[in-house]
Amino acid sequence: MGSVSLKIGDGTARFKRASWCSSSLNLLMLFSVITTNLFAWYAFTYAPKNQILHHQMPRNLSLISEHVSLILKEIDSSQKKLAQMENELLEYESIDLSKPNIVNELKMFLQHHVLPLGKDSRTGITEMVASVGHSCEKSMDLLSQYMNYKVNGQCPNDWSLGQRLILGGCEPLPRRRCFAKAINKFGLQPFPVSLWENVSEKIYSWSGLGCKNLACLNSKKLNRDCAGCFDIVKGYETQKYVKPRGKNDFLINDVLAMGNGGIRIGFDIGGGSGTFAARMAEKNVTVVTATLNVDAPFNEFIAARGLLPLYLSLDHRFPFYDNVFDLVHASNGLDGSVRPEKLEFLMFDIDRILRAGGLFWLDNFYCSNDDRKAMLTRLIERFGYKKLQWVVGDKINGSGKLEVYLSAVLQKPVRV
Ligand SMILES: *[C@@H]1O[C@H](CO)[C@@H](O)[C@H](O)[C@H]1NC(C)=O
Ligand SMILES: *[C@@H]1O[C@H](CO)[C@@H](O)[C@H](O)[C@H]1NC(C)=O
Ligand SMILES: *[C@@H]1O[C@H](CO)[C@@H](O)[C@H](O)[C@H]1NC(C)=O
Ligand SMILES: CC(=O)N[C@H]1CO[C@H](CO)[C@@H](O)[C@@H]1O
């Protein structure tokens, strides 16, 4: 299993298995810590001699400082080397376009395209650069398969392949020059009737999905926020945010009241079938719902309701400018399985797009246990938000296990 090859000579270091990668990184770290300490020890043991010299001839201070600067240089260069090796281990290298398995369309996309009229006076750029995440390189075979399409023709019907790339961190996707399969969206209802009406399920694309109709989707628990969430006519969706099931369920009216009428635009993370945005639309609040199509056509369904879906993974930096939203609503898109570091990155990005005085509504966030709840609490408290509501509840799940949920409404402080 998992071969390991290390070629330091030409500057490439590649590890196939994550465990190898991380243990090598640890070794490197250890090495750097030991060498740094050795240098420090050296410097200290040097000191008594210094003192003797110092008593006898003060002018030999110059010798000591020479030594110290030598040591510092040494430390600096080993730190640089370490950083370089770390980059290589993380495969943060530019994509090698000379490899044989790179399809032409990908090369074409990745090449820098010089602006025909020279430097643009407003932006100052001279060439257009394709933006494609370095993680794409990890899935080069998938990426080549994805980029193997007929330019100017129909795109292959393989959106799930694209989603696999996105889930692997390859974002944004580089396919641009083909026509996506057009689906006739007949029977769409006018807004706001569209918010709560069924539409023919023929307008969704079902390829690459386990379920082939809404009844199948509704019979499943697709994720923590979506059990039967495509039934927007009779299902529980019709009560969400207006009739609480427990103390962890806040009502939209109550939360809007906390915003003192200042809530006009919002962002929903992991929004299921868009019901949060639908309820907010009824209050004249415009909400963008970020969701992928994991196991269901979430984006198409939300759009059919007349709401704005955003097809984006949570690894992506949110494509919004700083301090623009009045409200961010997050449920289990930030799932309990997410690692603390990732949660921290997300929290910073949420904080960035939320304006001062804006509300962060954490809705039934699944914590799995008290430790995780404590971790999350510490993380949130570091941001200094005002706790307008804070409810920790537990539920016994289907298998009789105790689960901890956190719901909170937090107000972003003004930071100066
Ligand atoms: C709407 O669709 C659901 C399936 O999602 C179905 O159970 C229900 O009967 C439909 N209702 C109407 C009025 O068509
Ligand atoms: C939403 O806006 C419309 C049109 O301005 C208005 O008639 C309606 O009362 C508003 N609804 C709410 C809940 O504010
Ligand atoms: C209940 O929780 C346990 C542990 O968190 C999990 O393994 C199990 O799958 C859950 N059961 C259901 C029905 O959600
Ligand atoms: C006595 C002694 O060791 N003097 C040395 C002090 O340091 C300078 C250069 O740093 C030497 O040239 C001296 O010989």
Side-chain angles (χ1 to χ4, degrees):
M1 271 184 62
S3 68
V4 179
S5 73
L6 180 61
K7 278 190 290 162
I8 296 295
D10 64 353
T12 58
R14 221 178 277 281
F15 291 82
K16 291 260 164 68
R17 286 203 326 221
S19 58
W20 272 101
C21 183
S22 56
S23 64
S24 315
L25 261 179
N26 288 344
L27 274 179
L28 277 173
M29 293 296 178
L30 190 66
F31 169 74
S32 112
V33 167
I34 291 173
T35 44
T36 315
N37 281 324
L38 276 177
F39 282 129
W41 176 75
Y42 178 50
F44 273 112
T45 51
Y46 208 84
K49 229 167 133 201
N50 290 353
Q51 267 165 0
I52 300 162
L53 286 172
H54 185 73
H55 287 306
Q56 290 168 348
M57 340 164 171
R59 67 204 144 81
N60 265 32
L61 267 175
S62 66
L63 186 67
I64 298 163
S65 73
E66 224 170 82
H67 268 274
V68 170
S69 73
L70 212 67
I71 291 166
L72 287 178
K73 252 188 224 150
E74 200 67 40
I75 291 175
D76 189 47
S77 92
S78 40
Q79 268 174 352
K80 273 193 192 130
K81 255 182 228 156
L82 188 72
Q84 193 190 342
M85 290 176 90
E86 215 178 341
N87 276 352
E88 283 159 5
L89 287 171
L90 292 171
E91 300 190 60
Y92 199 95
E93 301 162 79
S94 61
I95 295 175
D96 180 1
L97 293 180
S98 63
K99 280 186 196 157
N101 64 342
I102 302 227
V103 293
N104 258 331
E105 182 65 2
L106 185 57
K107 282 186 198 165
M108 179 88 168
F109 177 80
L110 291 173
Q111 270 160 14
H112 294 191
H113 298 278
V114 177
L115 294 183
L117 303 177
K119 186 170 172 173
D120 181 79
S121 60
R122 274 184 312 147
T123 56
I125 58 167
T126 54
E127 56 180 17
M128 288 172 68
V129 182
S131 78
V132 56
H134 82 271
S135 299
C136 293
E137 207 193 358
K138 279 192 312 204
S139 325
M140 217 51 213
D141 291 342
L142 270 190
L143 187 66
S144 279
Q145 194 185 332
Y146 181 75
M147 288 304 278
N148 199 358
Y149 64 93
K150 196 162 159 268
V151 172
N152 295 323
Q154 277 257 337
C155 302
N157 189 8
D158 61 353
W159 69 268
S160 54
L161 176 62
Q163 185 163 277
R164 267 170 74 198
L165 281 164
I166 288 176
L167 289 171
C170 178
E171 240 175 341
L173 290 173
R175 185 196 283 169
R176 299 292 154 86
R177 298 200 293 165
C178 60
F179 296 101
K181 187 179 176 216
I183 296 177
N184 185 4
K185 303 273 175 179
F186 57 87
L188 291 180
Q189 303 282 341
F191 189 87
V193 175
S194 58
L195 294 175
W196 301 105
E197 285 269 318
N198 274 354
V199 190
S200 163
E201 48 199 22
K202 291 204 180 72
I203 71 165
Y204 308 122
S205 76
W206 297 94
S207 71
L209 294 173
C211 278
K212 301 295 175 200
N213 56 53
L214 291 177
C216 167
L217 291 178
N218 281 331
S219 70
K220 290 188 173 169
K221 183 172 179 182
L222 294 171
N223 58 55
R224 273 178 202 286
D225 298 316
C226 181
C229 79
F230 289 90
D231 184 357
I232 55 171
V233 176
K234 292 189 297 263
Y236 169 64
E237 289 298 294
T238 58
Q239 297 174 27
K240 240 175 159 176
Y241 312 113
V242 286
K243 283 194 198 124
R245 280 196 298 192
K247 60 179 180 155
N248 274 69
D249 293 346
F250 303 156
L251 303 185
I252 272 189
N253 278 338
D254 297 343
V255 175
L256 286 180
M258 293 176 211
N260 298 321
I263 309 296
R264 305 146 311 145
I265 52 173
F267 182 47
D268 186 17
I269 301 169
S273 58
T275 293
F276 181 76
R279 283 293 175 209
M280 279 295 181
E282 291 173 342
K283 305 287 174 188
N284 292 336
V285 177
T286 304
V287 168
V288 177
T289 307
T291 178
L292 290 176
N293 283 351
V294 176
D295 298 333
F298 288 104
N299 279 266
E300 286 168 287
F301 192 84
I302 291 167
R305 296 178 83 174
L307 301 164
L308 239 175
L310 182 67
Y311 189 66
L312 191 78
S313 86
L314 295 183
D315 296 315
H316 207 294
R317 184 179 196 263
F318 298 134
F320 302 112
Y321 195 63
D322 307 352
N323 304 300
V324 293
F325 283 103
D326 303 314
L327 171 79
V328 174
H329 174 258
S331 37
N332 284 300
L334 339 165
D335 201 282
S337 54
V338 167
R339 290 176 59 88
E341 300 83 6
K342 170 138 183 217
L343 215 50
E344 187 176 346
F345 280 114
L346 264 172
M347 189 61 206
F348 268 101
D349 214 24
I350 289 170
D351 179 78
R352 179 182 65 79
I353 62 173
L354 191 62
R355 68 165 167 83
L359 303 180
F360 175 40
W361 177 353
L362 198 59
D363 191 358
N364 280 280
F365 188 85
Y366 169 61
C367 294
S368 70
N369 57 41
D370 277 326
D371 283 351
R372 253 194 97 79
K373 191 205 76 195
M375 183 277 292
L376 184 68
T377 307
R378 275 196 306 275
L379 174 63
I380 288 172
E381 285 176 348
R382 272 175 42 207
F383 284 78
Y385 280 42
K386 188 168 163 195
K387 290 179 183 169
L388 303 179
Q389 285 264 30
W390 185 273
V391 176
V392 177
D394 37 43
K395 293 177 194 163
I396 307 288
N397 84 353
S399 332
K401 282 269 270 185
L402 192 73
E403 295 183 334
V404 183
Y405 288 83
L406 173 64
S407 288
V409 179
L410 306 155
Q411 187 167 40
K412 181 174 168 177
V414 180
R415 296 194 194 98
V416 279

